Amino acid sequence: MDRGILEREPELALLGSAARQAADGAGAVALVFGEAGIGKSSLVTALPDRLPGPARMLVGQCDDLATRRPLGPFRDLVGSVGADLARAVTEGGDRHRVYEALHAELAMTPHPAVLVVEDVHWADEASLDALRFLVRRMDRLPALLVLTYRDDELHRGHPLRHLLGQVSHAPRVHRLPLARLSLDAVTELGAAGRLDPAQVYQVTSGNPFFVTEVLAAGGTGGVPPTVVDAVLARLRGLRPATVDALEQLAVIPSAVERPLVDALLADGVAVLAEAEQRGLLTVTPERIAFRHELIRRAVADSVPAARRIDLDRRVLAALVARPGADAARVVHHAARAGDLDAIARYGPDAARDAADAGAHREAAAQLRLVLGERHRYGPAELADLLERYAVESYTIADTAAAVTAEREAVALRRSLGDILALGSDLRWLSRIHWWAGDADQAQAAAREAATVLEHAGDDRLLALAVSNIAQLRMLSDRYPEAVEHAERAIVLARKTEDAAILSHALNNLGTARWRGGDPDGRKQLEESLEVALGAGEAEHACRSYANLIWTLLDNLQFADADRLLPRALELADRAEHLGFLTYLHVELALRRLAAADWEDAERHAEFGVHDFPPARCPALTVLARVRVRCGRAGAGELLAEAREIAVRTRELQRTGPVAAAQAEAAWLRGDAEAVVEAAAPVHAQARHLTGIPYGAELGYWLTKAGHPVPDDDSDHPYALQTRGHWREAAAVWKAAGCPYEHAAAVAESPHPADKLDALAALDALGAEPLARLVRAELRGLGVRHIPRGPLAATRGNPGRLTERQLQVVRLLAQGLTNAEIAARLVVSVRTVDNHVRAVLGKLDAPTRRHVADRAADLGLLYRRER
């Protein structure tokens, strides 16, 4: 084996096997990760020898630029891929074209591809979006996607974490954490030298790169005290011209293409020959790169600041002199060289390139640099830049920066007297305030935007401003006002023939009417969806889906929601509208919560906990409610944060569910005062609105706590329970498919037999807190033989069963048929069939009859009280 890849045989074998499976159509994703210098690039270099004969190896590199190159690693593929992909990534304006070209390139047969993207921790946003697109499709491609990254650099908010979260849900994922070398491997590597292997191992801790560098430098003396010294030791004895050339290239944080090398090195590439021989560089006819990023950094960091500024200026001059130079690279070196004129000149173009490529974090970073030189621009140009920065910051959820920039843009528009631009910016300011969860400021900006545009002569901008007011009124449950504004916006949108605004306004009209108690409002909401889909307006179609599904869930119309959810998710996924994709996953989490599928509810809710407040608030609420119902810790902290977000929005769709979850948690722990404290204020707002369910549920919890509430004569099951009609409520919950709520309603029966049935269902669901209360009620009724519930060993789940599979096991142990289990859990018989097959396999039980014995041995069942 090559000395540079000692102790990497298992990883190479796994990647080779995955590539062969991919060639047969079973595509996969492989994650190669570890600390800097652990050998990720060496592994990639050794991989071609393990690939099947016809496979193509494509390698792209992410660079440590101050502001990343949009689609940087895919630009590196130019020359190795087809013309369609090469044109798409170099032109970069249409990211969907890039995605389609990438997909087509990897789908190509009969030459399956292994696409390697190195150092993904440095990836720009556009590249991460492209990788998200690929990850969700790799199992259907004859290709292997290999991502390398430094896992020790991924802080909690690192952009890569979202991608890794999606990879974890891919059908075929291979994780290859690279370990440090053992002392034996270090001994083998240093066998030809004079250094003490134990001393080398002690200094390097087995990091392969450090080991290699120390050994390479050790021939001229003892072990250097630091690895940087080891790298620099390899420069000793080189000709001054070669060192100068290395220092010049070291300030460029990427491979350097040949034309740029020729422009920077007066003596040509020949001056680098000695450095190549010492293993510092990799030289090809097309480009030159340092053999490892740590070598480049060590050389660059050794250069005095004054000389480094001069070196960056030379790179800047060479880039500017070349037609079509990458603006992001120009700005990077301009910033390093302190050339503020160049930043002001090229920064706006760099930001536009990044935004066009979907790299919104990079666009915001470029504009942030540009705005540091705001005195170089006239008021109108500065206002445009501020607006662009606000929109980019809004897109990446940097709401504080977005609000500040948009306010400045509005102030400049006022001073310029540009009415149309002022109205447009005020509308943006309203939207940004809502995104930040500040309802009052959003409403104020929306009103002024409409006032400014009322007689400005632009019906399209006016339609958007009026529809924006309708949206805010709808979200704040002021339904008659929302209807009035939405109807006006519809007239204006039809006049201007703008399908996007028409869809937006129809959405607001339909949602306001439906949630205001008029079921015919659903027709306008469905029309909004049809208009958006017909016009190819994916963003507006996603919003229509989101509002349709949310209202269906609120109305317990789960069958219709189940029909729409896959279509909505597929559209958001295909269109790469990640904000809506996240929100729809949270809606799916709400659906799985209603089905008492705790594990699936948590899995989908996790999509929303790292995003903007409209998704984060309900995601936290779902996660908390699962913990409340299963008796797990941590619900209080989640609900406290959810409430903080909800209160600022002033929207019942946020405050209602949070208050209900807090009330339920308080009631389960026997704290009636806390129930009233959580539920009463929100109930006072919600009880007058007949089209949403929050008043019924909050009234129910208040009644349970002994707090009187006005009569609610609706047919919502919580209202039925409040009136004491537990049997009718249980029937509604069962028909809707809500097993936890069904069991809770049955538990309100005064008859012990019903309570025992409810207890069995709650035990099967793992709903320990409510089951504990039901047991206490049964003891109070004098019932002697009461199931004690699952044993403590269940919490460890030695059978590796999911929450739903545990529920099925407990019902199987009671002797229930699949049809009876389906009725108890309110799911289809086919679903139960699948769970039973999985349970038999996991418990190694040959028949259903053996399940109970095996589950009892593992402590998954319960005993009887005596």
Side-chain angles (χ1 to χ4, degrees):
M1 188 189 303
D2 188 294
R3 293 190 347 154
I5 55 169
L6 283 175
E7 299 185 333
R8 296 292 184 255
E9 182 58 35
E11 290 84 0
L12 286 168
L14 190 152
L15 289 172
S17 174
R20 287 189 290 275
Q21 293 172 15
D24 294 332
V29 181
L31 302 177
V32 179
F33 54 94
E35 64 189 7
I38 201 65
K40 300 180 289 293
S41 296
S42 297
L43 189 75
V44 169
T45 301
L47 183 56
D49 292 339
R50 308 303 179 96
L51 299 181
R56 298 173 297 139
M57 181 121 162
L58 307 172
V59 181
Q61 176 73 48
C62 302
D63 301 319
D64 188 22
L65 287 166
T67 303
R68 319 297 189 205
R69 287 187 303 154
L71 298 172
F74 302 107
R75 292 173 187 263
D76 288 348
L77 304 181
V78 174
S80 304
V81 295
D84 288 346
L85 179 55
R87 283 194 296 269
V89 298
T90 51
E91 294 172 6
D94 184 348
R95 62 176 176 173
H96 298 295
R97 177 186 172 199
V98 172
Y99 301 164
E100 291 167 3
L102 272 171
H103 189 277
E105 186 73 32
L106 297 186
M108 190 183 302
T109 56
H111 301 293
V114 176
L115 172 58
V116 181
V117 181
E118 291 209 68
D119 294 325
V120 189
H121 52 280
W122 289 329
D124 65 283
E125 186 176 4
S127 297
L128 289 175
D129 284 345
L131 290 173
R132 278 190 280 265
F133 174 88
L134 289 179
V135 161
R136 291 191 288 273
R137 294 159 178 81
M138 286 307 300
D139 64 310
R140 302 187 294 278
L141 287 171
L144 174 64
L145 175 62
V146 181
L147 307 178
T148 77
Y149 62 94
R150 298 180 186 175
D151 59 331
D152 57 346
E153 294 193 7
L154 302 187
H155 54 79
R156 182 177 180 182
H158 197 288
L160 180 57
R161 286 200 177 277
H162 191 189
L163 173 63
L164 296 179
Q166 290 189 315
V167 171
S168 68
H169 299 297
R172 284 181 287 277
V173 183
H174 305 287
R175 292 175 173 80
L176 288 77
L178 300 186
R180 295 177 177 181
L181 298 178
S182 68
L183 176 58
D184 289 342
V186 174
T187 301
E188 183 175 346
L189 284 171
R194 299 190 299 270
L195 298 179
D196 179 0
Q199 188 179 11
V200 174
Y201 183 77
Q202 181 181 11
V203 169
T204 63
S205 298
N207 180 289
F209 173 74
F210 296 167
V211 170
T212 302
E213 295 307 311
V214 167
L215 291 174
T220 58
V223 177
T226 67
V227 173
V228 171
D229 287 342
V231 174
L232 298 182
R234 301 178 70 176
L235 272 63
R236 294 173 192 149
L238 292 176
R239 291 185 299 144
T242 301
V243 175
D244 288 345
L246 284 173
E247 290 176 348
Q248 177 65 79
L249 298 181
V251 302
I252 306 173
S254 60
V256 188
E257 61 273 26
R258 182 62 181 274
L260 183 56
V261 173
D262 292 341
L264 291 171
L265 303 185
D267 297 332
V269 294
V271 74
L272 300 171
E274 191 177 357
E276 181 187 11
Q277 290 170 349
R278 293 199 182 187
L280 295 167
L281 297 173
T282 299
V283 179
T284 69
E286 295 81 18
R287 57 179 55 86
I288 293 173
F290 283 88
R291 192 174 61 81
H292 197 285
E293 172 63 13
L294 291 179
I295 297 177
R296 185 194 71 79
R297 285 189 175 188
V299 174
D301 291 347
S302 70
V303 177
R307 172 162 165 73
R308 180 163 181 155
I309 290 172
D310 184 61
L311 295 174
D312 273 306
R313 281 179 176 165
R314 295 190 64 215
V315 178
L316 175 62
L319 288 172
V320 168
R322 296 170 58 198
D326 188 321
R329 294 179 72 185
V330 171
V331 174
H332 170 83
H333 290 286
R336 297 280 184 171
D339 190 330
L340 304 181
D341 289 335
I343 292 174
R345 178 180 176 185
Y346 292 96
D349 289 340
R352 186 172 288 106
D353 290 346
D356 288 345
H360 298 289
R361 277 186 293 269
E362 285 68 35
Q366 296 286 9
L367 288 165
R368 195 178 303 118
L369 272 176
V370 166
L371 289 169
E373 300 302 311
R374 63 180 60 205
H375 60 280
R376 298 172 183 270
Y377 305 98
E381 191 176 8
L382 178 58
D384 288 339
L385 290 170
L386 285 165
E387 179 191 310
R388 287 173 56 192
Y389 179 52
V391 173
E392 295 300 334
S393 299
Y394 153 84
T395 304
I396 64 174
D398 186 355
T399 51
V403 167
T404 299
E406 193 57 51
R407 281 176 170 168
E408 291 186 57
V410 166
L412 278 172
R413 302 296 192 195
R414 290 190 202 281
S415 68
L416 291 167
D418 187 338
I419 298 300
L420 292 178
L422 174 61
S424 177
D425 270 327
L426 283 166
R427 203 279 309 176
W428 264 118
L429 182 59
S430 172
R431 179 63 176 169
I432 290 168
H433 274 309
W434 181 84
W435 203 258
D438 193 333
D440 293 340
Q441 294 288 344
Q443 297 278 7
R447 287 192 298 270
E448 187 180 0
T451 300
V452 166
L453 293 168
E454 185 66 50
H455 303 293
D458 190 316
D459 286 339
R460 181 188 169 279
L461 284 178
L462 178 59
L464 186 55
V466 173
S467 190
N468 181 60
I469 290 179
Q471 181 182 12
L472 292 173
R473 298 294 192 271
M474 176 268 291
L475 290 167
S476 59
D477 310 299
R478 296 158 65 178
Y479 300 131
E481 297 174 46
V483 168
E484 178 184 351
H485 285 91
E487 288 176 339
R488 185 186 179 202
I490 288 169
V491 172
L492 290 167
R494 292 192 192 280
K495 179 180 177 181
T496 58
E497 299 182 346
D498 192 307
I501 300 176
L502 177 60
S503 172
H504 190 272
L506 284 167
N507 188 328
N508 300 326
L509 175 64
T511 306
R513 289 183 60 195
W514 192 6
R515 295 183 72 79
D518 180 358
D520 287 341
R522 179 173 175 177
K523 296 176 183 177
Q524 275 92 30
L525 193 43
E526 290 171 338
E527 183 184 356
S528 165
L529 176 60
E530 292 171 7
V531 169
L533 290 173
E537 293 284 349
E539 180 178 1
H540 291 282
C542 287
R543 180 172 171 258
S544 298
Y545 271 128
N547 284 350
L548 268 168
I549 293 165
W550 188 279
T551 308
L552 288 168
L553 294 175
D554 272 353
N555 291 338
L556 309 183
Q557 295 173 281
F558 297 125
D560 287 348
D562 289 341
R563 177 175 53 83
L564 293 177
L565 270 164
R567 302 179 196 174
L569 287 161
E570 194 277 332
L571 173 64
D573 188 5
R574 186 178 71 248
E576 290 294 303
H577 280 293
L578 298 181
F580 278 112
L581 183 63
T582 296
Y583 199 81
L584 288 164
H585 271 289
V586 174
E587 292 188 325
L588 184 52
L590 289 164
R591 173 67 185 102
R592 301 321 304 156
L593 176 69
D597 191 343
W598 316 126
E599 185 176 52
D600 220 28
E602 288 184 306
R603 182 167 66 87
H604 289 288
E606 288 288 347
F607 278 84
V609 296
H610 302 300
D611 288 285
F612 59 101
R616 184 169 176 79
C617 182
L620 292 171
T621 306
V622 169
L623 292 171
R625 211 141 199 186
V626 170
R627 284 160 174 74
V628 166
R629 294 180 175 182
C630 294
R632 302 208 308 262
E637 294 83 353
L638 296 175
L639 286 174
E641 183 180 349
R643 183 181 183 279
E644 182 179 343
I645 297 171
V647 167
R648 291 187 65 227
T649 69
R650 301 185 186 278
E651 296 173 8
L652 277 172
Q653 65 171 339
R654 307 289 176 236
T655 59
V658 174
Q662 289 180 314
E664 180 180 7
W667 183 76
L668 286 172
R669 66 176 184 265
D671 189 343
E673 184 177 341
V675 172
V676 176
E677 181 182 354
V682 184
H683 177 259
Q685 299 173 334
R687 67 185 183 86
H688 299 294
L689 300 171
T690 58
I692 56 177
Y694 312 128
E697 183 175 3
L698 292 168
Y700 168 74
W701 291 118
L702 287 169
T703 302
K704 295 280 281 185
H707 184 81
V709 297
D711 292 339
D712 182 347
D713 58 359
S714 73
D715 59 359
H716 192 281
Y718 275 127
L720 293 172
Q721 287 175 257
T722 300
R723 299 198 299 270
H725 300 165
W726 67 268
R727 194 181 302 278
E728 293 87 339
V732 176
W733 288 125
K734 183 173 183 179
C738 302
Y740 179 86
E741 288 81 358
H742 172 258
V746 172
E748 295 181 349
S749 166
H751 307 297
D754 291 325
K755 289 186 181 292
L756 285 167
D757 285 344
L759 180 59
L762 293 168
D763 280 341
L765 294 171
E768 189 274 333
L770 183 53
R772 185 175 63 249
L773 295 181
V774 174
R775 285 186 171 86
E777 292 175 0
L778 285 166
R779 285 193 293 270
L781 291 172
V783 177
R784 294 183 58 191
H785 300 293
I786 305 171
R788 294 187 61 185
L791 298 175
T794 301
R795 299 189 187 97
N797 193 2
R800 298 177 293 106
L801 304 177
T802 67
E803 292 283 354
R804 183 63 96 190
Q805 289 165 357
L806 279 170
Q807 297 163 11
V808 170
V809 164
R810 292 165 189 158
L811 295 174
L812 278 174
Q814 296 177 36
L816 273 64
T817 66
N818 284 13
E820 290 169 333
I821 293 172
R824 182 70 62 84
L825 296 179
V826 201
V827 296
S828 70
V829 176
R830 182 176 180 181
T831 297
V832 174
D833 292 341
N834 292 333
H835 286 311
V836 169
R837 280 195 293 271
V839 164
L840 292 173
K842 286 187 176 182
L843 296 185
D844 195 22
T847 67
R848 297 163 60 93
R849 184 171 54 83
H850 292 83
V851 167
D853 293 339
R854 180 70 177 134
D857 291 342
L858 292 173
L860 300 176
L861 302 182
Y862 36 75
R863 296 172 294 185
R864 291 254 177 197
E865 282 188 351
R866 296 192 182 276

